[in-house]
């Protein structure tokens, strides 16, 4: 088609639509809504149409290069403790309190109740109980647990579980793991959720309350030294008598130096209150060690070793401090709690 100078090209409506809908770099036809301002959802109804239009029209046009960056939506805050945001709804919450009795070296853990636990049984319910461990060094010896409540997702225990022999050193380096499990009579008990509380968060002689979302099971530190696994705790009192020139210790390797307490049957928290005395000069104490071992008595077969502790000049930490305090304070009873480990003392230290 040829056009004369100054003459405009006319296009039929059919040709116009064909051009606009044809794929390619041709710009699409503007919609009627492009000529009116748009507002986000939830615009208050009190805003008038005329005032809204005036404010939209009065704004100067800005090129894309000069346009200020759009405000981004705030990022979701991630809990530094590491549990997922939906753990509260899927696993449940646990209400409990902790108290460190510094004078009596006791940690009291009161388990109050749980709410909204995850269903574990076919009937949509669970048979929950709570168990406690001290980390590092978790073992059956330092496990405490509540009773089991049947067919409930909102159990109320109101039970106080107590660890004895907790020292100030333990309060700095230990963590309390609290796990909620489902008891199953015919299969292994199932894990529901857990939480961990560093004991350094507690202040002596002050009760602290917690209401915490249960978390998924956290990985266990595989680098932990298994040879120092805790096997319970023992309260030992040392006193050097200047009159009798005696002390409780291991002066030699023959059986004359060996003393045994009475057997306490069917208990994990025995009280012995028995006293033994070894005759030895005060100056010789630096060459000696005291080995204390705890055994499980069995009739008809060999006894099972539970745990032991060694006090003496070659000991470390609280064990060494206990020994020095005894040497420095004649005729004074020095009492300390010590952790039993699964290390046989005779295999490590000898006179």
């Amino acid at each position: 088609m040829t056009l004369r100078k100054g003459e405009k090209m006319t296009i039929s409506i059919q040709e116009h639509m064909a051009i606009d809908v044809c794929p390619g770099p041709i710009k699409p036809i503007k919609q009627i809504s492009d000529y009116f301002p748009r507002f986000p959802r939830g615009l208050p109804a009190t805003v008038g149409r005329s005032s809204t239009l005036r404010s939209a029209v009065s704004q100067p046009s800005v090129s894309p290069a000069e346009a200020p960056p759009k405000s981004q939506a705030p990022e979701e805050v991630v809990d530094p403790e590491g549990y997922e945001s939906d753990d509260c709804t899927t696993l449940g919450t646990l209400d409990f309190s902790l108290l460190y009795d510094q004078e009596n070296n006791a940690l009291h853990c009161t388990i109050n109740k749980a709410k909204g636990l995850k269903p574990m049984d076919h009937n949509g319910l669970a048979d929950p109980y709570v168990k406690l461990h001290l980390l590092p060094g978790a073992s059956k010896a330092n496990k405490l647990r509540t009773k089991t409540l049947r067919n409930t997702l909102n159990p109320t225990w109101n039970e106080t579980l107590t660890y004895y022999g907790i020292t100030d050193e333990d309060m700095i380096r230990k963590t309390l793991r609290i796990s909620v499990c489902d008891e199953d009579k015919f299969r292994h008990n199932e894990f529901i959720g857990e939480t961990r509380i560093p004991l350094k968060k507690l202040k002596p002689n002050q009760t602290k309350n917690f209401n915490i979302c249960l978390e998924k099971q956290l990985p266990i530190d595989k680098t932990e030294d298994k040879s120092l696994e805790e096997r319970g705790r023992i309260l030992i009192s040392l006193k050097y008598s200047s009159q009798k020139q005696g002390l409780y210790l291991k002066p030699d390797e023959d059986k004359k130096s060996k003393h045994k307490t009475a057997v306490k049957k069917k208990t994990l928290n025995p009280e012995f209150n028995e006293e033994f005395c070894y005759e030895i000069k005060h100056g010789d104490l630096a060459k000696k060690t005291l080995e204390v071992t705890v055994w499980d008595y069995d009739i008809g077969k060999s006894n099972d070793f539970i745990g032991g502790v060694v006090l003496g000049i070659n000991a470390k930490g609280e064990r060494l401090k206990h020994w020095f305090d005894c040497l420095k304070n004649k005729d004074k009873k020095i009492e300390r709690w010590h952790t039993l480990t699964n290390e046989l003392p005779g295999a490590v230290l000898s006179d």
Side-chain angles (χ1 to χ4, degrees):
M1 177 186 293
T2 58
L3 294 176
R4 296 178 182 178
K5 187 175 182 181
E7 186 179 24
K8 292 184 178 181
M9 180 179 180
T10 59
I11 303 175
S12 65
I13 186 63
Q14 290 85 357
E15 292 173 322
H16 178 75
M17 292 183 64
I19 292 173
D20 285 333
V21 300
C22 178
I26 301 174
K27 294 182 179 180
I29 301 173
K30 288 189 175 183
Q31 299 179 359
I32 189 67
S33 58
D34 290 339
Y35 295 95
F36 293 91
R38 298 183 182 182
F39 304 101
R41 292 183 180 179
L43 183 69
T46 55
V47 179
R49 180 179 296 178
S50 59
S51 62
T52 304
L53 289 175
R54 280 197 299 271
S55 62
V57 173
S58 62
Q59 293 179 357
S61 60
V62 183
S63 62
E66 299 173 352
K70 294 183 179 180
S71 59
Q72 297 180 351
E75 294 182 356
E76 184 178 354
V77 178
V78 180
D79 190 342
E81 294 295 331
Y83 61 78
E84 297 180 4
S85 59
D86 62 345
D87 281 351
C88 286
T89 56
T90 59
L91 302 179
T93 60
L94 183 65
D95 185 288
F96 61 96
S97 64
L98 300 176
L99 169 64
Y100 172 48
D101 183 352
Q102 190 175 33
E103 182 179 356
N104 297 308
N105 296 105
L107 176 65
H108 303 288
C109 314
T110 301
I111 308 299
N112 298 319
K113 60 185 177 180
K115 185 177 180 182
L117 294 180
K118 179 181 177 181
M120 304 298 290
D121 298 335
H122 295 298
N123 58 3
L125 300 173
D127 302 320
Y129 67 92
V130 177
K131 64 179 180 180
L132 311 179
H133 283 103
L134 284 175
L135 305 176
S139 66
K140 290 184 179 180
N142 68 26
K143 183 184 80 171
L144 301 176
R145 62 161 287 174
T146 67
K147 61 186 177 183
T148 301
L149 299 182
R150 304 290 177 185
N151 297 323
T152 178
L153 299 180
N154 301 289
T156 299
W157 289 282
N158 290 328
E159 284 189 52
T160 298
L161 307 174
T162 302
Y163 281 106
Y164 294 100
I166 301 297
T167 64
D168 291 341
E169 183 182 355
D170 292 326
M171 296 300 295
I172 295 173
R173 67 185 185 90
K174 291 285 186 181
T175 295
L176 178 66
R177 180 174 67 188
I178 306 177
S179 306
V180 181
C181 300
D182 172 63
E183 186 176 285
D184 198 317
K185 291 183 178 180
F186 305 104
R187 296 181 298 174
H188 291 294
N189 296 343
E190 295 180 289
F191 175 86
I192 297 177
E194 72 169 35
T195 186
R196 300 187 184 187
I197 306 296
L199 297 185
K200 61 184 177 183
K201 289 186 176 182
L202 305 180
K203 295 182 179 180
N205 307 313
Q206 292 185 20
T207 301
K208 187 167 184 178
N209 298 309
F210 297 86
N211 194 328
I212 294 181
C213 295
L214 294 174
E215 308 173 38
K216 296 177 182 178
Q217 193 162 20
L218 300 175
I220 299 174
D221 185 7
K222 295 183 179 180
T223 62
E224 185 179 320
D225 189 356
K226 297 295 183 180
S227 65
L228 298 179
E229 178 185 301
E230 292 189 9
R231 297 295 188 91
R233 291 164 187 262
I234 186 168
L235 180 62
I236 300 175
S237 176
L238 296 179
K239 174 185 173 182
Y240 182 82
S241 174
S242 58
Q243 293 180 345
K244 295 183 179 180
Q245 290 192 346
L247 181 71
Y248 319 105
L249 54 77
K250 179 190 173 188
D252 52 39
E253 294 183 354
D254 59 25
K255 292 191 177 181
K256 293 180 181 179
S257 68
K258 182 178 178 181
H259 290 283
K260 292 172 62 176
T261 67
V263 176
K264 302 296 180 180
K265 296 182 180 293
K266 297 181 180 180
T267 178
L268 297 178
N269 301 287
E271 293 187 15
F272 301 100
N273 294 321
E274 298 187 34
E275 183 176 298
F276 306 109
C277 183
Y278 293 99
E279 293 183 5
I280 188 171
K281 294 179 181 180
H282 188 269
D284 294 336
L285 288 175
K287 304 174 185 178
K288 303 297 180 180
T289 60
L290 171 63
E291 296 181 359
V292 181
T293 56
V294 181
W295 299 78
D296 175 52
Y297 176 73
D298 287 321
I299 299 177
K301 56 181 180 178
S302 59
N303 299 333
D304 297 318
F305 174 71
I306 294 177
V309 63
V310 176
L311 306 179
I313 198 70
N314 294 320
K316 297 179 181 178
E318 288 292 325
R319 296 169 293 167
L320 179 61
K321 185 176 184 298
H322 192 184
W323 189 256
F324 275 136
D325 288 345
C326 175
L327 299 186
K328 290 187 296 183
N329 299 278
K330 293 181 181 180
D331 301 311
K332 182 180 179 181
K333 185 180 290 185
I334 309 296
E335 197 173 73
R336 295 277 193 282
W337 281 94
H338 296 284
T339 299
L340 299 172
T341 69
N342 63 342
E343 202 171 42
L344 271 169
V348 178
L349 294 177
S350 59
D351 289 342

